[in-house]
């Protein structure tokens, strides 16, 4: 069995409309929170920066919540710009839906594969286990074609899996690679 790992290489870009220049792409840059107290109520925002005009905008994380309702450890993480909390906040589907942004994972992930079997290896079919270290959404057919160096149409013919190959996933899965059809002889 072969083992593949999908990992994030950087934070994804955001499809987020800039109010200044109308660009639709932003980044979290260094990943900073802004915590603002108004009496006994607290607002927390994640700061994002437009990639075109460098204008800073805010993504609402918490709004008008009592200070005592936030876990002190989490409050400290907001105040110290904890990188793990930045990632967790950015990947939270409720926050992205509420703030109307989506994530662009293009060129933000890497597939690490174990050494492939040589084509003459008699151990066909080959079973491959894919593990996601980060929730990078990707279509299995694209990932498999990239990892094996084959076309996506060949992926349809040679791959057997319990997951739908044309649906985006972030979950671990396994698949089986069947040998390529031997050319040369056709039945008429």
């Amino acid at each position: 069995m072969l083992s593949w790992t999908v990992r994030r290489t950087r934070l994804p870009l955001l499809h987020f409309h800039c109010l200044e220049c109308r660009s639709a792409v932003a980044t979290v840059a260094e990943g900073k929170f802004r915590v603002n107290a108004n009496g006994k109520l607290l607002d927390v925002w994640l700061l994002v920066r437009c990639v075109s005009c460098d204008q800073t905008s805010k993504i609402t994380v918490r709004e008008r919540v009592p200070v005592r309702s936030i876990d002190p450890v989490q409050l400290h993480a907001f105040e110290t710009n904890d990188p793990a909390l930045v990632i967790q906040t950015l990947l939270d589907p409720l926050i992205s839906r509420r703030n109307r942004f989506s994530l662009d994972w293009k060129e933000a992930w890497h597939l690490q594969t174990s050494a492939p079997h040589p084509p003459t290896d008699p151990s066909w079919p080959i079973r491959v286990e894919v593990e996601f270290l980060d929730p990078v959404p990707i279509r299995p057919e694209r990932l498999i074609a990239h990892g094996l160096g084959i076309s996506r149409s060949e992926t349809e013919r040679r791959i057997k899996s319990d997951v739908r190959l044309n649906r985006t996933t972030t979950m671990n899965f396994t698949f089986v690679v069947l040998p390529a059809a031997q050319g040369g002889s056709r039945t008429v």
Side-chain angles (χ1 to χ4, degrees), residues 73-140:
V73 173
Q74 188 178 43
L75 181 58
H76 179 70
F78 284 133
E79 292 171 339
T80 58
N81 300 312
D82 180 42
L85 188 56
V86 170
I87 294 167
Q88 179 185 346
T89 301
L90 194 60
L91 299 178
D92 187 333
L94 295 175
I95 291 175
S96 65
R97 189 173 24 244
R98 186 178 341 129
N99 288 280
R100 296 186 177 107
F101 72 85
S102 61
L103 300 176
D104 179 2
W105 286 94
K106 186 178 180 182
E107 299 177 6
W109 59 274
H110 173 72
L111 175 63
Q112 181 178 345
T113 62
S114 53
H117 289 276
T120 58
D121 189 347
S123 63
W124 291 99
I126 301 169
R127 184 182 158 122
V128 180
E129 186 176 275
V130 180
E131 179 185 9
F132 287 81
L133 297 182
D134 297 292
V136 177
I138 191 163
R139 287 185 175 185

Side-chain angles (χ1 to χ4, degrees), residues 29-93:
E30 299 86 34
K32 295 192 179 198
F33 290 102
R34 180 168 180 204
V35 180
N36 186 31
N38 185 2
K40 293 183 180 181
L41 299 177
L42 205 61
D43 292 312
V44 179
W45 300 286
L46 178 62
L47 301 179
V48 297
R49 192 182 66 213
C50 176
V51 296
S52 296
C53 69
D54 214 31
Q55 178 71 25
T56 300
S57 298
K58 300 181 286 190
I59 291 176
T60 303
V61 178
R62 299 282 184 102
E63 189 172 36
R64 302 277 185 231
V65 294
V67 176
R68 292 183 183 210
S69 70
I70 297 180
D71 177 37
V73 173
Q74 188 178 43
L75 181 58
H76 179 70
F78 284 133
E79 292 171 339
T80 58
N81 300 312
D82 180 42
L85 188 56
V86 170
I87 294 167
Q88 179 185 346
T89 301
L90 194 60
L91 299 178
D92 187 333

Side-chain angles (χ1 to χ4, degrees), residues 5-6 130-138 143 169-173:
T5 306
V6 178
V130 180
E131 179 185 9
F132 287 81
L133 297 182
D134 297 292
V136 177
I138 191 163
L143 182 77
T169 187
T170 59
M171 304 298 289
N172 298 347
F173 66 94

Side-chain angles (χ1 to χ4, degrees), residues 1-2 4 125-130 140 143-145 147-148 150 155 158-163 165 173-178:
M1 175 171 15
L2 298 177
W4 291 4
I126 301 169
R127 184 182 158 122
V128 180
E129 186 176 275
V130 180
L143 182 77
I144 294 166
L148 294 176
I150 61 176
T155 301
R158 295 187 54 201
I159 303 301
K160 300 297 179 206
S161 180
D162 290 338
V163 298
L165 298 178
F173 66 94
T174 59
F175 64 92
V176 175
V177 184
L178 302 174

